[in-house]
Amino acid sequence: MQAVNTPIQKNEKLNANTNGTDQKKTSTDEMNNSAAKVGKTVGKPFATNPKMTMRNVDVFYGDKQAIHDVSLDIGKNEVVAMIGPSGCGKSTFLRCLNRMNDTIEICQVKGEIKLEEMDVYHPKQDVVPLRARVGIVFQKPNPFPKSIYDNVAYGPRIHGLVERKTDLDEIVEKSLRRASLWEEVKDRLHAPGTGLSGGQQQRLCIARTIAVSPEVILMDEPCSALDPIATAKIEELITELSEKFTIAIVTHSMQQAARVSHRTAYFHMGKLVEVNDTKRVFTNPEHELTEAYITGRFG
Amino acid sequence: MTNSNQALSTAEKVNQSLQKRYRAEKRFKAYGIGAIAFGLLCLVVLFTDIISKGHSAFFQTYVKLEITFDPVEMGLDDPSDTKQLAMADFDSIIRNALKEQFPEASGRRDRRALYAIVSNGASFTLREQLKDDPALLNQTVSVWMLADDDIDTYVKNREDADGETFAGRISEKQMGWVNTLIENNQIESRFNTTFFSSGDSREPEQAGILGALMGSLLTLFVTILLSFPIGVAAAVYLEEYAPQNKFTDFIEVNINNLAAVPSIIFGLLGLAIFIGFFEMQRSLPLVGGLVLTLMTLPTIIISSRAAIKAVPPSVRDAALGLGASKMQMVLHHVIPLAMPGMLTGAIIGFAQALGETAPLLMIGMVAFVVDIPGAITDPSTALPVQIFLWSDSPERAFVERTSAAIMVLLAVLISMNTLAIWLRRRLERRW
């Protein structure tokens, strides 16, 4: 955390400087013109010890191409943040990683996505074992309308991870502790999960995800519906979780990306523009579009 | 504002129109209140009418007579012999009792009028009594017996209508005898248990609603058993699994159209398929239930689909994201969350089915059935059909029974709805 503090301050300064009205007016034009400027991904999209590898991924919604030729690695125990303006395809890309896009009928994915040895989009690959290994936390907290206990226990139950009730109790407690929610809910495990506050609900969703012991956790703007205090708690949690899990996080907040991630990937209109160490992206971006975005000229 | 002083500011304009808006709003509210008041008024009129006509059906006039169980007169010497008991002439001892009390009635016509005071079902009461207690043979006891429906109508109505005596269909002489019986405290109004414990009859005083009620419940049982699972399964498939193509569109249009098909058409369909093709018998609750299932299915499918659609996608995403299979998602999350909505739709369908007459006419559930059906393969009739049949009968005593039958039907409907609301409350979960 300490290491990335400087870039944030710098970033904030930049934001303040560029909040003038002149730049705001031209931001849309600049963004539209910029598409041509995107060439090959710059920086270092590949990791030495990859958990997930994506090669030449194209995603189509019907005729419309949402993702163009994206190649990226997510290293083991690494936190990769994906940033970019709205509609740039970062959420779409994230949802490809555990095939949540399957629910959209017109969505088509080309290219290769691998989780270690597993070919994610192989026609014979079942999504159930895939999603047991790659969990996801959504933008809006979405606990089941069941008790807190049942929320966390749901994953282990459907996957048959435990045989005895005591083992299940243990998993629930461990998951809630890891999501730093245990102290707050240990006396009301059988109260409805929907009765918690927004931040608690989101941590409950994280606990629910880690109860299955996935290898990778995908987070799709997990803090966008939360207040700053709840956000801070979740960010802290992400840092802790990265010791055990591999995390890919989509965020709208550059500060958040700077605070929690090791590497940052900048998406622009469906293309991956730049991937670099987070520190580098926010201090000395390689690509001019990345610089334009983090300095607030559009987005 | 800066250009001209005559122009009003926005705030002034808003203030000017404010009164108008308030008035419009008040009118709008008044329309709503008016609509509800009109509905309530109709309901009150309906209920007052039904209850004022029907409440008297819950009471029945009984006549007390000194009956001598004379073995010679009855042609019976051993009351334990069921064959003899069945053949015994109990009518004659009732006649004797009446003759004894009113010896002035002589001549065929008078005698017949006298005998008509007691219901012809009274002999069954006596038979049961003797069967239960054979020691009654050769003894004289006072027995309360059903009065004939004309007597019943007279006793119930003689005092109202502006002090004028109401005779109904009974003659002057009968009126005199009945008045004598009333003075002697030999006439009593009791709670009408017959109405709730027997089937249909040509004699109003012996007619009851139980046969029709059982018929309706058995029919509804078949309907619920078939239409709810089939309807929910169809809705789940169409919402969660069916591919979006021309064929599913075609199915959807057809289901929506079927919901608007007149029920008598379903009756004809049932007649052609179940009775014509599958050669099932007529008048069976099984066939009635099948026909009503066909009729109710579109309603259930449409409402279940709406309920499934209303389940937030975030819950599905959450389940799928955890690695639940589609079936687990549907069974663990979608159906439980959609259940209250599905039940609401289903209960509307079942209430409709319970009140349905037309399709049942087509498959012969309009028959005169005396025996109370005990299974879905016993011939029976249904409550609304029974109401229809009674309302068509000439006997005055059937008027009050018709209203009473309507009350029973309404009671069944209300209890069904209460059950549905209770179930919905129990299953409802917030998210």
Side-chain angles (χ1 to χ4, degrees):
Chain A
M1 286 298 280
Q2 210 55 36
V4 284
N5 266 344
T6 347
I8 301 163
Q9 281 156 7
K10 187 179 179 186
N11 183 26
E12 276 166 353
K13 263 184 222 155
L14 279 168
N15 267 339
N17 289 343
T18 51
N19 263 347
T21 38
D22 310 344
Q23 267 131 344
K24 279 278 164 194
K25 265 180 198 162
T26 56
S27 66
T28 333
D29 300 337
E30 192 172 340
M31 199 172 140
N32 288 340
N33 295 335
S34 60
K37 293 182 199 164
V38 185
K40 258 189 107 54
T41 308
V42 298
K44 35 180 208 174
F46 307 120
T48 44
N49 185 14
K51 186 81 192 171
M52 291 196 87
T53 54
M54 289 70 93
R55 293 290 178 272
N56 310 102
V57 176
D58 291 314
V59 181
F60 300 86
Y61 287 119
D63 296 333
K64 207 180 141 268
Q65 189 164 4
I67 298 282
H68 298 262
D69 193 26
V70 170
S71 296
L72 179 69
D73 280 352
I74 301 172
K76 228 173 203 160
N77 294 10
E78 189 184 30
V79 180
V80 174
M82 300 177 189
I83 60 169
S86 296
C88 68
K90 52 192 190 304
S91 282
T92 299
F93 184 67
L94 187 83
R95 290 166 71 97
C96 289
L97 302 188
N98 73 344
R99 287 178 59 176
M100 281 307 283
N101 280 341
D102 283 13
T103 51
I104 305 161
E105 247 174 78
I106 54 164
C107 181
Q108 243 194 323
V109 179
K110 284 179 183 157
E112 189 189 69
I113 300 178
K114 273 191 159 174
L115 168 64
E116 286 175 341
E117 77 303 329
M118 182 195 273
D119 185 354
V120 170
Y121 273 93
H122 192 275
K124 281 187 185 156
Q125 177 59 49
D126 194 337
V127 291
V128 168
L130 166 70
R131 288 179 188 153
R133 289 177 69 185
V134 185
I136 186 162
V137 176
F138 295 92
Q139 185 171 356
K140 228 183 88 196
N142 56 352
F144 298 126
K146 295 172 185 257
S147 72
I148 294 169
Y149 183 95
D150 286 338
N151 260 285
V152 182
Y154 184 68
R157 270 186 191 144
I158 58 168
H159 293 304
L161 300 185
V162 286
E163 272 164 19
R164 278 176 308 167
K165 175 91 171 61
T166 45
D167 294 344
L168 191 59
D169 290 347
E170 205 175 294
I171 288 188
V172 170
E173 181 178 341
K174 211 171 83 187
S175 307
L176 284 169
R177 272 191 199 283
R178 245 192 223 150
S180 44
L181 191 62
W182 175 254
E183 290 303 322
E184 287 155 72
V185 301
K186 64 180 176 192
D187 301 323
R188 46 172 176 152
L189 284 176
H190 295 283
T194 40
L196 298 172
S197 75
Q200 288 174 326
Q201 285 190 15
Q202 193 63 299
R203 275 180 283 149
L204 177 62
C205 292
I206 293 174
R208 184 176 64 185
T209 305
I210 57 185
V212 189
S213 319
E215 295 156 42
V216 183
I217 300 175
L218 311 176
M219 295 189 172
D220 190 357
E221 299 181 37
C223 301
S224 64
L226 305 180
D227 66 82
I229 295 168
T231 302
K233 276 197 173 152
I234 303 247
E235 284 177 6
E236 222 173 278
L237 183 58
I238 292 170
T239 313
E240 280 168 31
L241 289 175
S242 68
E243 286 165 19
K244 236 195 134 208
F245 303 97
T246 302
I247 295 171
I249 177 170
V250 163
T251 174
H252 254 120
S253 150
M254 283 178 272
Q255 288 89 334
Q256 183 170 70
R259 282 192 292 263
V260 302
S261 70
H262 302 118
R263 273 194 306 153
T264 298
Y266 173 65
F267 282 77
H268 188 91
M269 299 189 79
K271 287 175 182 156
L272 181 55
V273 176
E274 175 172 351
V275 187
N276 255 322
D277 289 337
T278 299
K279 203 172 158 188
R280 170 96 201 261
V281 169
F282 287 104
T283 51
N284 181 22
E286 228 170 289
H287 200 283
E288 53 176 315
L289 280 171
T290 319
E291 188 178 3
Y293 181 70
I294 62 158
T295 54
R297 258 183 279 155
F298 55 70
Chain B
M1 259 308 275
T2 44
N3 294 342
S4 123
N5 287 330
Q6 282 121 336
L8 294 164
S9 74
T10 310
E12 281 166 331
K13 279 186 183 164
V14 168
N15 279 334
Q16 273 185 352
S17 66
L18 216 51
Q19 285 304 318
K20 212 175 138 192
R21 282 198 227 172
Y22 284 150
R23 277 199 301 277
E25 181 138 3
K26 265 187 193 147
R27 273 201 304 278
F28 191 62
K29 259 194 205 159
Y31 296 146
I33 293 170
I36 289 173
F38 180 72
L40 280 179
L41 185 76
C42 291
L43 205 65
V44 168
V45 170
L46 177 76
F47 273 93
T48 335
D49 183 57
I50 292 172
I51 292 172
S52 65
K53 275 186 190 154
H55 74 279
S56 51
F58 295 119
F59 295 94
Q60 168 67 39
T61 307
Y62 282 78
V63 184
K64 186 170 81 172
L65 290 174
E66 297 293 316
I67 298 285
T68 309
F69 288 94
D70 183 351
V72 181
E73 198 71 43
M74 291 191 288
L76 165 134
D77 41 36
D78 179 15
S80 56
D81 184 351
T82 40
K83 216 173 198 173
Q84 272 194 17
L85 206 59
M87 297 294 289
D89 185 5
F90 287 94
D91 284 333
S92 64
I93 56 170
I94 297 171
R95 283 191 215 120
N96 286 344
L98 282 164
K99 263 192 284 189
E100 214 164 283
Q101 181 149 15
F102 300 105
E104 70 271 21
S106 53
R108 263 175 71 99
R109 194 178 260 181
D110 280 1
R111 284 270 169 81
R112 194 185 281 172
L114 180 63
Y115 300 155
I117 288 178
V118 176
S119 162
N120 63 7
S123 51
F124 299 108
T125 323
L126 294 183
R127 179 173 296 152
E128 288 304 307
Q129 209 163 0
L130 188 63
K131 194 177 158 193
D132 290 344
D133 186 7
L136 286 175
L137 201 64
N138 267 322
Q139 289 194 9
T140 302
V141 284
S142 29
V143 182
W144 285 100
M145 282 171 298
L146 274 177
D148 189 69
D149 59 304
D150 288 331
I151 307 302
D152 182 51
T153 310
Y154 167 70
V155 172
K156 278 173 183 165
N157 294 296
R158 77 202 139 93
E159 270 155 5
D160 39 75
D162 316 318
E164 273 180 55
T165 40
F166 167 87
R169 284 177 63 208
I170 69 171
S171 65
E172 292 266 327
K173 275 184 181 158
Q174 278 177 313
M175 207 191 293
W177 296 324
V178 173
N179 286 340
T180 318
L181 286 169
I182 293 170
E183 276 160 34
N184 293 347
N185 286 328
Q186 278 178 276
I187 286 216
E188 200 176 272
S189 191
R190 293 186 182 176
F191 184 71
N192 191 354
T193 47
T194 318
F195 184 72
F196 294 101
S197 60
S198 54
D200 199 7
S201 169
R202 293 278 182 239
E203 301 295 332
E205 76 274 7
Q206 293 171 46
I209 198 73
L210 188 63
L213 182 65
M214 284 307 292
S216 264
L217 292 181
L218 288 169
T219 309
L220 200 64
F221 173 73
V222 175
T223 308
I224 292 174
L225 212 65
L226 289 175
S227 66
F228 193 63
I230 296 176
V232 169
V236 167
Y237 177 76
L238 287 173
E239 275 305 313
E240 300 287 342
Y241 287 95
Q244 288 280 322
N245 57 27
K246 288 255 161 67
F247 186 63
T248 37
D249 286 349
F250 175 75
I251 291 176
E252 189 167 343
V253 168
N254 272 289
I255 289 172
N256 291 345
N257 280 337
L258 279 177
V261 167
S263 56
I264 195 152
I265 307 289
F266 285 106
L268 277 170
L269 182 75
L271 178 64
I273 293 180
F274 302 124
I275 295 174
F277 186 73
F278 288 107
E279 298 186 340
M280 293 181 185
Q281 281 178 311
R282 281 159 198 277
S283 313
L284 301 188
L286 174 64
V287 180
L290 286 169
V291 168
L292 293 179
T293 300
L294 294 180
M295 200 199 77
T296 326
L297 265 176
T299 317
I300 294 182
I301 294 175
I302 291 171
S303 62
S304 298
R305 288 187 67 175
I308 290 171
K309 268 201 191 104
V311 173
S314 65
V315 172
R316 294 162 209 262
D317 281 350
L320 290 177
L322 277 175
S325 65
K326 203 158 186 179
M327 196 186 89
Q328 285 171 327
M329 174 194 87
V330 169
L331 287 184
H332 298 166
H333 302 285
V334 174
I335 290 183
L337 286 176
M339 197 43 95
M342 289 179 179
L343 276 177
T344 310
I347 254 356
I348 291 171
F350 297 146
Q352 222 175 25
L354 187 68
E356 201 55 72
T357 325
L360 301 183
L361 301 184
M362 301 308 299
I363 53 142
M365 282 186 84
V366 69
F368 173 73
V369 181
V370 178
D371 292 325
I372 292 155
I376 55 170
T377 48
D378 289 346
S380 72
T381 182
L383 274 172
V385 181
Q386 187 70 75
I387 291 167
F388 166 73
L389 284 173
W390 281 353
S391 71
D392 223 23
S393 298
E395 286 88 349
R396 201 189 145 91
F398 271 130
V399 175
E400 57 182 31
R401 279 171 175 78
T402 305
S403 293
I406 294 173
M407 279 193 258
V408 172
L409 179 61
L410 287 176
V412 175
L413 277 174
I414 289 170
S415 40
M416 253 175 74
N417 283 337
T418 315
L419 180 75
I421 291 169
W422 178 77
L423 266 175
R424 205 164 59 204
R425 287 264 164 84
R426 262 201 62 155
L427 295 172
E428 207 150 50
R429 285 175 175 147
R430 276 167 234 290
W431 57 77

